[in-house]
Amino acid sequence: MTQIVICPGIHEPKLTEDFILGSGWGCPNLLIFPAQDYPAYSGVHILQFLGDRDRVPAASELIFISFSAGVVGAIAAALAWQLQGGKVKAFIAVDGWGVPLTGNFPIHRISHDYFTHWSSALLGSGLDSFYADPPIEHLELWRNPQTARGWWVQHSEGTSETRSPTTAAVFLNHLLQRYSGALE
């Protein structure tokens, strides 16, 4: 079973509720790390949250979707989850500016503007990515992914890339379909 783990940043929980609604998800397999109760940037706390076997069965495959400071904790938890024998199907960093991302699982970045997209890629661009154009506010990307218009950047062999216009929500939903069919 695929579980989607949402790791919010440091903000009001209502923003994460808006993110889920704006993404159009109705799937029951969402786990939301309670960043209002624990440090969003703490991989240890996220791993403890996942370690509850009543919450996450041992055979679960995880897709991480993290935002801002939550990207720091989520990447550490994803790597530790794998070291403990767990499976990470994909990692999606939403505005994880300045966070190095590496792992032996697919990694994608979503950014609120081109500068964040470009400069974050220096620390690990991963696979397909998205950036908002025109730029939007950092928190607005999380609050309303359905209104964040921009470019889906697809990387091909070598250095070539193609760009297609879309929204952050459409991009996210495509990734979830690709890795799990979770929205079916």
Side-chain angles (χ1 to χ4, degrees):
M1 172 183 203
T2 300
Q3 296 280 318
I4 300 168
V5 181
I6 308 289
C7 298
I10 301 170
H11 52 74
E12 301 272 333
K14 173 81 169 89
L15 285 162
T16 300
E17 292 171 24
D18 292 344
F19 171 76
I20 292 167
L21 287 172
S23 297
W25 299 333
C27 48
N29 53 350
L30 293 178
L31 298 172
I32 303 169
F33 175 71
Q36 71 275 8
D37 298 329
Y38 304 98
Y41 48 81
S42 173
V44 170
H45 285 93
I46 295 171
L47 194 60
Q48 286 174 344
F49 171 77
L50 295 174
D52 179 348
R53 293 299 175 206
D54 292 334
R55 185 175 292 127
V56 182
S60 292
E61 299 177 328
L62 304 182
I63 297 174
F64 285 84
I65 300 174
S66 54
F67 174 66
S68 194
V71 175
V72 176
I75 193 66
L79 293 168
W81 181 260
Q82 265 197 334
L83 285 173
Q84 293 178 356
K87 171 97 169 127
V88 177
K89 290 192 79 173
F91 187 91
I92 303 166
V94 181
D95 255 4
W97 188 78
V99 181
L101 296 180
T102 186
N104 59 349
F105 41 80
I107 295 173
H108 302 274
R109 286 188 184 264
I110 296 175
S111 303
H112 77 278
D113 64 7
Y114 178 76
F115 175 77
T116 303
H117 165 79
W118 171 83
S119 58
S120 293
L122 299 173
L123 300 171
S125 62
L127 302 171
D128 294 5
S129 58
F130 170 91
Y131 67 91
D133 183 21
I136 60 173
E137 293 295 319
H138 173 68
L139 289 176
E140 193 62 23
L141 178 59
W142 191 246
R143 178 183 295 119
N144 291 307
Q146 75 280 12
T147 63
R149 298 204 164 281
W151 297 99
W152 175 346
V153 181
Q154 296 172 296
H155 301 280
S156 303
E157 294 288 324
T159 59
S160 67
E161 63 183 34
T162 57
R163 295 170 193 233
S164 306
T166 192
T167 66
V170 168
F171 178 72
L172 268 168
N173 287 328
H174 173 80
L175 293 177
L176 291 180
Q177 284 289 337
R178 178 189 299 176
Y179 294 113
S180 72
L183 301 175
E184 294 176 346

